Amino acid sequence: MADDASIARRIETGNLSDLNLLNPYVQGAYEPVARETTADDLPVIGQIPLDLYGAFYRNGPNPAVAPQGLHHWFDGDGMLHAIWFENGKARYRNRFIKTPDHIADLNGGCGAGGVLYPSTRADPSSSRGDRVYKDTANTDVVLHNGSLMGLWYISGQPVRVDARTLETIGVENFGGALPRHVSAHSKVDPVTGEFVFFDYSLYEPWMTFGTVSADNRLTHFQKVDLPGPRLPHDMGLTENYVILHDLPVVFSEGGLKRSMWQIHFADQPARFGVVPRTGRGDQIRWFETDSCYIYHVVNAWEDGDEVVMTACMMVPNGYPPNPEYGPYAPMVNVLALNAVPVEWRMNMRTGQVKKRQLDDRIGEFPAINQDYASRQTRWSYHVAMSKTELQRFAGLYKYDLITGEAKTHLYEPSMFGSEPAFAPRIGARSEDDGYVIAFVTDENTGKSEVQVIDAQDFEVGPVARVLLPVRVPAGFHGTWARGDQIAA
């Protein structure tokens, strides 16, 4: 829970309702920031390497209007935090992603919080389709066709953002060709520049996948039939295949009837569907494995007859719901991320699948050198999760995906981070020849910084600590963009 001073500050400014006094995900490490900030030529402890050139963008939830009813952490408005590096200097900027629902909320048309106008399931005259919740583009961010796209976890409208200014350009529908929505963890192929996405229906038994070219044309779209509605969070992408997830976390009967996010763990195996990137939906091959849930894929690639996928597999967290959080106890319990790195190998010739757990340390929010995405990688960088009820990002692991060995960089006890990014140095000669970048905040002082760690000297700690003028709350996912990709 937040300290008394934090709570008092929120009440004084009118940013915390009585109900949300019990909600830890609007306090302390998760407390939103109210202002958009621009800062140039930031102070540095250490020295920013001269061969670090580009920008790190991180997305996350940040309510622009104080939640009045029950508020889930995932429902906050999208806010991008970005730091640009060039010639040994750094500049910072944060901006809200101005989705249509964000603008409507500011104008008082939606009500504060996550639930907005009714969907067509409740009101046939609604223009919201099957969307019940506020579409915030708050989950992931990718660089495609020269600009950023903010993406949303339930599968929604991608929103274009200028990579240099963070100003919102507008909703992206790929020239009017996008059939429906795009899920948060769709991928950009670093070789072809293609944006490969998936989508799912909350209430109908199907999933889709598609491809948008480097010049923003929808070139492929297919539907995959399923035994029932599914709630996948991520996908795998290789040079030639898409890997879709049919996992046993599904809507409860009550959730389906009320069009609400009420889920449970079904007694059924997990399945991975491998389908050619340009293939038909009925060409998918399903590989059945142990029952599990996956939030985030590390990477995927092809190795002879095998399609390989590494991901963070959820394991039981051991925490019962804590009554201290009142009506937020179920949310806190579900958000206690306990995951371990696992490799699955799906043999396209024999139909067999092999599973290998790489380590037993708890970690999540993996990042890789994006220049190697969808091709074989050896290194990944994960957030080290504290063994607590709340999502506490205590440090970083650098994993060797061949051996499962990991090197560790932990923050000071009062500090927390979020998903890192890997930044290749100019003229990089190997996969891990570069820097690991992460936003880090001291919860006691509210001061934030960006740490720059030499990936090949990981345990030594940061070579540079860039001091920020504003606090950066805990958040979700990010991406690195090379300087030449975003130069004016």
Side-chain angles (χ1 to χ4, degrees):
M1 301 291 284
D3 56 55
D4 292 341
S6 174
I7 292 176
R9 184 171 68 252
R10 297 297 303 284
I11 293 175
E12 181 182 352
T13 57
N15 289 330
L16 189 66
S17 67
D18 289 341
L19 180 63
N20 279 296
L21 289 172
L22 294 173
N23 185 351
Y25 282 98
V26 292
Q27 304 172 40
Y30 317 94
E31 182 181 345
V33 294
R35 291 186 295 275
E36 298 179 328
T37 300
T38 300
D40 297 327
D41 202 7
L42 297 168
V44 180
I45 298 173
Q47 186 172 356
I48 297 173
L50 293 176
D51 56 5
L52 177 59
Y53 176 42
F56 174 34
Y57 307 92
R58 202 219 69 192
N59 206 346
N62 194 93
V65 177
Q68 300 301 311
L70 281 170
H71 175 78
H72 195 288
W73 188 35
F74 290 179
D75 290 336
D77 298 87
M79 176 176 271
L80 288 173
H81 300 264
I83 185 162
W84 290 262
F85 298 96
E86 186 174 7
N87 297 324
K89 295 185 177 182
R91 57 187 178 91
Y92 165 85
R93 182 173 295 203
N94 69 329
R95 293 291 187 273
F96 282 102
I97 301 177
K98 296 176 176 63
T99 66
D101 283 348
H102 168 81
I103 295 169
D105 208 359
L106 292 180
N107 292 332
C110 298
V115 180
L116 301 173
Y117 300 120
S119 70
T120 50
R121 291 169 61 84
D123 179 359
S125 66
S126 170
S127 62
R128 292 183 59 79
D130 63 6
R131 293 185 301 131
V132 178
Y133 295 94
K134 184 176 177 180
D135 187 343
T136 59
N138 71 3
T139 309
D140 206 352
V141 57
V142 299
L143 183 76
H144 170 256
N145 191 35
S147 63
L148 303 171
M149 279 195 292
L151 306 174
W152 185 49
Y153 78 102
I154 298 182
S155 198
Q157 298 175 315
V159 179
R160 286 282 180 185
V161 175
D162 189 290
R164 293 170 292 279
T165 67
L166 296 191
E167 297 303 326
T168 298
I169 298 169
V171 171
E172 175 62 83
N173 59 19
F174 310 117
L178 179 62
R180 189 176 173 275
H181 299 151
V182 167
S183 191
H185 293 302
S186 303
K187 314 292 184 184
V188 175
D189 186 313
V191 176
T192 67
E194 293 172 316
F195 177 67
V196 183
F197 67 93
F198 74 104
D199 180 29
Y200 55 93
S201 169
L202 291 179
Y203 312 111
E204 303 296 335
W206 51 261
M207 194 183 308
T208 65
F209 67 99
T211 299
V212 177
S213 67
D215 59 357
N216 218 40
R217 293 176 297 105
L218 181 72
T219 59
H220 190 69
F221 186 78
Q222 289 289 306
K223 184 176 179 181
V224 174
D225 292 323
L226 296 168
R230 295 294 187 261
L231 300 171
H233 190 71
D234 206 342
M235 63 178 280
L237 180 69
T238 74
E239 187 175 357
N240 295 294
Y241 296 100
V242 170
I243 307 169
L244 301 177
H245 297 177
D246 176 2
L247 305 175
V249 171
V250 299
F251 275 124
S252 65
E253 297 246 348
L256 285 172
K257 288 178 181 177
R258 293 190 292 273
S259 299
M260 300 296 285
W261 198 267
Q262 296 171 350
I263 59 178
H264 72 107
F265 204 96
D267 183 17
Q268 61 193 51
R271 298 194 307 162
F272 301 130
V274 181
V275 60
R277 280 169 58 161
T278 57
R280 302 187 313 272
D282 60 8
Q283 290 180 297
I284 195 166
R285 293 187 60 184
W286 290 104
F287 293 81
E288 190 172 293
T289 186
D290 300 335
S291 184
C292 68
Y293 193 77
I294 295 168
Y295 278 108
H296 301 124
V297 169
V298 178
N299 196 18
W301 61 85
E302 297 157 37
D303 185 8
D305 292 329
E306 295 178 322
V307 172
V308 183
M309 182 179 71
T310 54
C312 298
M313 184 189 78
M314 290 289 288
V315 295
N317 62 43
Y319 299 115
N322 187 341
E324 175 186 359
Y325 300 112
Y328 293 101
M331 176 190 76
V332 171
N333 185 253
V334 169
L335 290 180
L337 284 184
N338 269 36
V340 295
V342 173
E343 174 193 270
W344 289 269
R345 288 180 169 266
M346 292 153 279
N347 193 300
M348 300 297 289
R349 182 175 55 83
T350 67
Q352 294 183 322
V353 57
K354 292 186 288 188
K355 172 184 169 184
R356 177 172 70 106
Q357 182 171 323
L358 303 179
D359 192 24
D360 60 2
R361 277 169 282 200
I362 301 301
E364 249 290 354
F365 292 89
I368 62 168
N369 182 338
Q370 285 296 319
D371 290 345
Y372 290 75
S374 72
R375 276 74 178 170
Q376 185 167 3
T377 44
R378 179 170 183 175
W379 309 106
S380 64
Y381 308 88
H382 301 212
V383 169
M385 305 296 292
S386 297
K387 293 184 178 180
T388 64
E389 293 175 297
L390 303 179
Q391 283 197 27
R392 297 288 304 181
F393 309 127
L396 300 170
Y397 297 131
K398 176 186 178 181
Y399 269 107
D400 184 329
L401 299 178
I402 296 175
T403 67
E405 295 177 352
K407 295 181 179 180
T408 302
H409 167 63
L410 294 179
Y411 306 128
E412 295 297 320
S414 64
M415 303 188 82
F416 64 88
S418 57
E419 181 180 283
F422 179 87
R425 72 174 78 241
I426 296 174
R429 297 183 178 181
S430 64
E431 180 191 337
D432 68 337
D433 188 8
Y435 305 95
V436 180
I437 317 292
F439 285 98
V440 181
T441 298
D442 188 321
E443 190 169 12
N444 290 342
T445 65
K447 293 182 178 180
S448 294
E449 63 187 53
V450 173
Q451 295 192 357
V452 179
I453 301 167
D454 188 326
Q456 295 183 334
D457 209 359
F458 189 76
E459 294 178 314
V460 170
V463 297
R465 295 168 54 202
V466 183
L467 307 183
L468 302 180
V470 293
R471 181 175 54 84
V472 177
F476 298 150
H477 303 282
T479 192
W480 173 260
R482 299 191 316 269
D484 63 289
Q485 294 175 309
I486 56 175

